[in-house]
């Protein structure tokens, strides 16, 4: 479990263990270091997530759809959620272009 808090508000997230995911590497396919973390204002990320999370699946039949997809390309972060019937996509402009122009996508589980 993961617990986050800020001021009087706190949340607990159920999470999978690190062994349930493929290993993370520090080098990309071209042998270069992975880009540094991307900094976003919390309100911008929250607004994007509020638009796509309602379209993500809530049932366990298709767990791959129980997530929000974060796709990074150039100066754009694209958030996506789908449940097999609905699809929601929100694009967020980033201040800096990614150092490498690789397509990077990550699925972040909702449960």
């Amino acid at each position: 479990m993961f617990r986050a808090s800020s001021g009087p508000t706190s949340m607990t997230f159920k999470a999978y263990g690190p062994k349930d995911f493929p290993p993370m590497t520090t080098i990309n396919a071209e042998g270069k270091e992975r880009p540094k973390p991307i900094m976003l204002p919390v309100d911008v990320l929250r607004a994007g997530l509020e638009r796509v999370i309602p379209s993500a699946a809530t049932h366990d039949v298709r767990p791959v759809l129980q997530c929000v997809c974060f796709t990074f390309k150039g100066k754009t972060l694209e958030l996506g959620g789908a449940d097999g019937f609905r699809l929601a996509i929100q694009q967020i402009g980033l201040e800096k272009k990614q150092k490498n122009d690789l397509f990077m996508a990550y699925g972040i589980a909702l449960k």
Side-chain angles (χ1 to χ4, degrees):
M1 290 205 173
F2 168 71
R3 185 166 178 81
S5 62
S6 176
T9 304
S10 65
M11 297 182 87
T12 301
F13 300 91
K14 293 180 183 177
Y16 293 104
K19 293 181 180 179
D20 294 325
F21 296 94
M24 299 289 284
T25 60
T26 56
I27 299 175
N28 65 26
E30 297 172 347
K32 298 178 183 174
E33 285 189 39
R34 292 174 61 178
K36 292 183 179 180
I38 296 168
M39 304 302 277
L40 285 175
V42 171
D43 57 332
V44 172
L45 181 59
R46 181 183 299 131
L49 288 172
E50 286 174 348
R51 290 179 175 227
V52 298
I53 286 177
S55 294
T58 56
H59 50 78
D60 295 332
V61 176
R62 294 166 70 183
V64 72
L65 297 177
Q66 289 181 300
C67 68
V68 172
C69 182
F70 286 67
T71 305
F72 298 92
K73 178 77 172 157
K75 289 182 76 172
T76 304
L77 164 60
E78 186 174 89
L79 305 174
D83 65 1
F85 301 100
R86 298 173 291 180
L87 170 66
I89 296 174
Q90 178 69 37
Q91 291 186 339
I92 299 172
L94 303 174
E95 290 182 14
K96 296 181 181 178
K97 183 178 178 183
Q98 295 295 301
K99 289 195 178 208
N100 58 8
D101 208 22
L102 288 178
F103 171 83
M104 297 181 295
Y106 303 93
I108 309 296
L110 296 177
K111 286 187 173 184

